[in-house]
Amino acid sequence: MALFPFCKTAAGPVRVTRMQLVLYGVLLSLLIYFLNGRKAAVGVESPHPIFRALGLDRGGVITDVAVFKPTAPQTPLATPWGAPLVWGDTQKSAGRRAKFERQGIRTGLLALVVGTYAKFVHRFLSSAETHFLPGHMVTYYILTDNPRTLDPPIELGPERELKVVPISELPGWERLTRRRMALLADAIRNPIGSEVEYIFCADIDQEFVAPVGEEILGDLVATLHPQLYGMPRKAFPYEVEEVSSACVEEDEGDYYYTSELYGGLVSEMFRLARACSLLILQDQANGVMARGLEESYLNRYLVNNRPTCVLSPEYSWWNSALAPDVHVQRLVSLGRTCEARDEQKQNPCKVSGSAEM
């Protein structure tokens, strides 16, 4: 018995021949093939350079980064464990500023300056004088192997001071990254621990471009990595080699934090720096170094010791295809902006202590 021998129309039944059924089937198959082809063309994109660099382009499908790129209005104001997630212009941040503004707190801002990074010192300090905790007591700590990099001295405002902490010469980037946490722990032990209540560590190749106020203060403060904020957990470049002390298991981790800015109470920061330095020494003894260098050890520590205050990408931002669109950029990394341009094969940038990007 033939299938569907008739199709009814307004004029009455019309017989459909077997040849017509075959033609309809062919047309339907072509339509399905065409639609599936368009989906494949849309879904397959070449991986962004950061994924190639981190080895995340192997063994899976990478979706175009534009799909994941977040914007500020979609951002929660608290972490899953209840810590504030700070965006500077919110009412909650205004409340945090009011809480701390009359307490007479002295805060330290520490940066490590070695080798060619000396060219960033004046730009960093000048911008901090304008935007970092304005109106508060601040001590700048510059750890350097060449104190002459601070000549000529920066003119500081009232209740602001600059202290140079001499360190031994650290030739080579790899040696510097192995020693950074130990240097921080030593500096906090003496002299920082007895002079300030809070201490923040920042990379020197940055510039404050908008106010960074009391909203950042907390017991243990970490900053979201701007290129990885809003990305799925599988994109986080945690250390995955089990032989490393920085290894983070697949079922661990909430956010990925940048090493460009982190801080807190001096007691909490001493614990962090000492723990991370011991992990680095342990790996060094075994001939291992995490792929993200000290940032990997920082993230390992923060997995076990969740921050009590998390800063949004406003407080660590650089011009990159992966960085989220934020309403206010407060602290901008000049060095990482150049790296992002190199990854995108744009015109190379030359960063100096005074010239604009």
Side-chain angles (χ1 to χ4, degrees):
M1 182 176 179
L3 295 175
F4 309 108
F6 294 93
C7 289
K8 293 185 177 181
T9 67
V14 175
R15 180 175 296 276
V16 179
T17 67
R18 181 173 299 178
M19 181 59 69
Q20 288 175 318
L21 286 174
V22 171
L23 289 174
Y24 295 154
V26 171
L27 290 173
L28 181 60
S29 298
L30 289 173
L31 179 61
I32 294 173
Y33 178 82
F34 175 76
L35 292 175
N36 284 338
R38 286 185 60 85
K39 286 183 180 180
V42 171
V44 178
E45 299 285 344
S46 60
H48 188 273
I50 190 173
F51 293 122
R52 290 198 296 271
L54 297 174
L56 295 175
D57 57 333
R58 298 187 293 273
V61 176
I62 302 295
T63 309
D64 182 16
V65 297
V67 174
F68 296 115
K69 190 168 182 177
T71 56
Q74 300 172 336
T75 305
L77 299 179
T79 67
W81 60 94
L85 203 165
V86 178
W87 298 79
D89 291 338
T90 63
Q91 290 185 349
K92 286 192 174 182
S93 290
R96 291 177 61 80
R97 287 190 287 272
K99 173 184 175 182
F100 288 105
E101 66 180 354
R102 298 184 182 276
Q103 295 187 17
I105 296 170
R106 179 169 285 279
T107 302
L109 180 60
L110 179 146
L112 181 63
V113 181
V114 295
T116 59
Y117 282 82
K119 65 186 178 183
F120 295 104
V121 171
H122 284 74
R123 187 170 184 168
F124 176 82
L125 291 175
S126 296
S127 66
E129 273 295 278
T130 302
H131 296 298
F132 183 74
L133 293 175
H136 277 255
M137 296 181 291
V138 173
T139 300
Y140 302 108
Y141 295 96
I142 301 297
L143 279 59
T144 181
D145 57 357
N146 183 10
R148 289 178 299 177
T149 60
L150 296 171
D151 294 332
I154 298 291
E155 183 177 349
L156 303 178
E159 297 189 304
R160 320 275 280 202
E161 60 179 329
L162 172 64
K163 294 194 174 183
V164 177
V165 181
I167 60 173
S168 59
E169 186 177 358
L170 295 171
W173 179 251
E174 184 176 345
R175 185 179 176 187
L176 173 61
T177 58
R178 291 178 184 273
R179 288 282 297 152
R180 184 173 180 176
M181 286 295 183
L183 290 171
L184 172 58
D186 290 343
I188 292 176
R189 184 185 294 113
N190 182 34
I192 294 173
S194 61
E195 296 179 346
V196 299
E197 297 172 64
Y198 293 88
I199 183 69
F200 283 83
C201 301
D203 282 0
I204 196 66
D205 58 342
Q206 299 184 95
E207 181 179 16
F208 292 90
V209 295
V212 174
E214 302 93 330
E215 73 274 4
I216 70 169
L217 298 178
D219 292 358
L220 181 60
V221 183
T223 308
L224 297 177
H225 193 295
Q227 289 186 312
L228 295 162
Y229 175 70
M231 291 288 187
R233 164 61 181 81
K234 64 181 180 181
F236 295 171
Y238 290 131
E239 178 57 50
V240 296
E241 296 296 332
E242 295 183 357
V243 294
S244 174
S245 301
C247 180
V248 175
E249 301 293 338
E250 291 185 0
D251 59 348
E252 294 182 303
D254 305 287
Y255 299 107
Y256 190 84
Y257 305 100
T258 178
S259 59
E260 300 280 325
L261 179 69
Y262 55 98
L265 290 171
V266 289
S267 57
E268 289 291 340
M269 284 297 291
F270 179 72
R271 293 189 190 98
L272 180 153
R274 183 176 61 179
C276 289
S277 64
L278 291 175
L279 293 178
I280 292 172
L281 286 174
Q282 182 177 334
D283 275 4
Q284 187 175 0
N286 295 325
V288 177
M289 188 64 180
R291 63 177 176 174
L293 306 178
E294 78 268 14
E295 192 169 83
S296 292
Y297 299 97
L298 173 66
N299 274 274
R300 174 65 267 178
Y301 182 86
L302 294 173
V303 167
N304 293 340
N305 303 271
R306 284 170 164 168
T308 62
C309 177
V310 176
L311 304 182
S312 72
E314 289 183 348
Y315 298 87
S316 179
W317 191 90
W318 54 89
N319 189 12
S320 165
L322 288 173
D325 297 320
V326 296
H327 295 304
V328 181
Q329 301 161 18
R330 301 181 186 275
L331 181 59
V332 174
S333 173
L334 309 178
R336 295 217 191 186
T337 294
C338 285
E339 291 175 6
R341 289 184 183 180
D342 291 341
E343 288 174 355
Q344 297 169 31
K345 297 180 180 180
Q346 296 180 359
N347 295 330
C349 57
K350 296 180 180 180
V351 181
S352 67
S354 59
E356 294 297 325
M357 293 292 294

